[in-house]
Amino acid sequence: MARPDKAAAVAELADQFRSSNAAVLTEYRGLTVAQLKQLRRSLGENAQYAVVKNTLTKIAANEAGITSLDDQFNGPTAVAFITGDPVESAKGLRDFAKDNPNLIIKGGVLDGKALSADEIKKLADLESREVLLSKLAGAFKGKQSQAASLFQALPSKLVRTVDALRAKQAEQGGAE
């Protein structure tokens, strides 16, 4: 790799691997330019889809510390570098692959962990980060209101018990 243009391409790809939350490798054989443009739009704002050379990308991934993808760099390969929510981009890939069977998801990496094609499809089945956070907040709010009602019930129960004891003592004192 003596040529400076290749060295620059490897450096750029390595930077993209390092700065991405996730990267998904796909095979795009048989897709038209218009379909690739549509795919790029379906991935969302936080993903960049790039057709890459296998040998240069393999070297760049290794430089970025990702060796789990080495066996997937065969055939025409493109990489979706995801900097935002990986679920949104995984859904875009999955939905596009349903409509266009020529797109094949090979595998990928998420936060340094290797993912198979099936794991990426499972990731696509998750709800988005915002939905999960709102559900979590709702669960916390529900638990807080349960705790508040429990804490309110204790003093009122104590007051009723003390009143009942006073009434009983008054009855016993009046009966003697």
Side-chain angles (χ1 to χ4, degrees):
M1 193 177 71
R3 292 190 17 206
D5 58 334
K6 288 185 179 182
V10 168
E12 183 181 341
L13 287 169
D15 285 343
Q16 285 183 311
F17 274 113
R18 285 187 200 103
S19 64
S20 299
N21 297 338
V24 179
L25 272 61
T26 63
E27 183 176 323
Y28 63 93
R29 184 178 304 168
L31 293 176
T32 65
V33 173
Q35 288 172 322
L36 287 174
K37 190 174 183 180
Q38 180 185 0
L39 172 60
R40 286 184 174 102
R41 279 195 305 264
S42 71
L43 289 177
E45 300 172 359
N46 300 322
Q48 180 183 4
Y49 190 75
V51 174
V52 294
K53 290 187 177 262
N54 289 336
T55 54
L56 298 180
T57 309
K58 185 176 179 179
I59 293 168
N62 289 333
E63 282 184 14
I66 302 169
T67 58
S68 56
L69 301 176
D70 286 353
D71 59 336
Q72 296 177 5
F73 290 111
N74 50 22
T77 303
V79 182
F81 294 104
I82 303 164
T83 55
D85 185 11
V87 173
E88 178 186 342
S89 297
K91 284 181 184 188
L93 283 169
R94 178 200 59 196
D95 295 343
F96 187 86
K98 281 182 185 176
D99 296 336
N100 300 283
N102 288 336
L103 180 75
I104 299 168
I105 298 172
K106 294 180 176 183
V109 64
L110 174 65
D111 293 328
K113 181 188 176 287
L115 297 175
S116 68
D118 290 334
E119 289 172 324
I120 292 170
K121 290 174 185 169
K122 287 179 186 175
L123 181 67
D125 292 336
L126 290 176
E127 293 174 329
S128 71
R129 181 177 188 269
E130 290 78 22
V131 171
L132 291 174
L133 288 174
S134 66
K135 284 184 177 184
L136 183 65
F140 281 142
K141 185 177 179 183
K143 294 297 179 189
Q144 286 176 341
S145 65
Q146 286 176 347
S149 63
L150 175 68
F151 291 139
Q152 283 179 334
L154 290 175
S156 63
K157 187 175 182 180
L158 177 66
V159 168
R160 286 193 302 267
T161 305
V162 169
D163 284 344
L165 281 173
R166 281 188 192 150
K168 187 175 183 180
Q169 286 178 347
E171 276 181 25
Q172 288 177 352
E176 291 178 23

